[in-house]
Amino acid sequence: MFLSRVLSVCLLGALALSTTGCGGVDKKACGRLESTLNGIRRQAMTQVDDPLRVAQTYSSGATTLRDQAKGTDGSLRRSAEKAAGALDQLGRQVKAAADGTGSSVDSSALIAATNELKHTCGS
């Protein structure tokens, strides 16, 4: 239980850096991406006692972000796809830590990707 709470707190902190607004890019797309990232964070917070469910939430969230990225272009699309990749990576790390095949969870890629997305959206 301690491991699951530590993993969840670390991962949820990374997702809290999601985008908060948009500048010169598609504001609706930025808003959808922001909403998706916030939804992933909220859902994962309800699963703190089940790291495998958290991992699945991140994996599903990555798929959703990729689908949303298809409706964008340029730097916004690249940023959204990078965030999706970071969510996938984090989901694999959480799963590995939960089943004992991995020892660490590193949210730095997700933090960097969400900061890039935030910058792309002009916030």
Side-chain angles (χ1 to χ4, degrees):
M1 173 125 103
F2 176 73
L3 173 63
S4 66
R5 290 194 187 276
V6 169
L7 291 173
S8 297
V9 169
C10 173
L11 305 174
L12 298 174
L15 285 177
L17 296 173
S18 66
T19 61
T20 57
C22 298
V25 296
D26 183 341
K27 290 183 181 190
K28 287 183 181 181
C30 282
R32 282 189 300 273
L33 294 165
E34 173 190 81
S35 179
T36 297
L37 286 168
N38 286 332
I40 294 165
R41 179 181 50 83
R42 282 190 304 273
Q43 184 176 357
M45 285 184 355
T46 68
Q47 302 165 335
V48 295
D49 291 328
D50 189 349
L52 294 177
R53 283 185 61 204
V54 171
Q56 180 57 44
T57 295
Y58 291 138
S59 176
S60 297
T63 299
T64 300
L65 280 180
R66 281 191 186 92
D67 288 344
Q68 291 174 342
K70 291 175 185 175
T72 66
D73 59 6
S75 61
L76 182 56
R77 184 175 188 155
R78 285 187 298 276
S79 294
E81 288 173 347
K82 192 173 195 177
L87 277 170
D88 272 335
Q89 176 185 354
L90 207 47
R92 286 189 301 272
Q93 290 175 354
V94 170
K95 184 178 183 307
D99 67 18
T101 61
S103 60
S104 66
V105 176
D106 180 6
S107 61
S108 62
L110 182 58
I111 291 169
T114 55
N115 282 336
E116 181 180 321
L117 186 58
K118 181 178 177 180
H119 177 72
T120 300
C121 285
S123 50

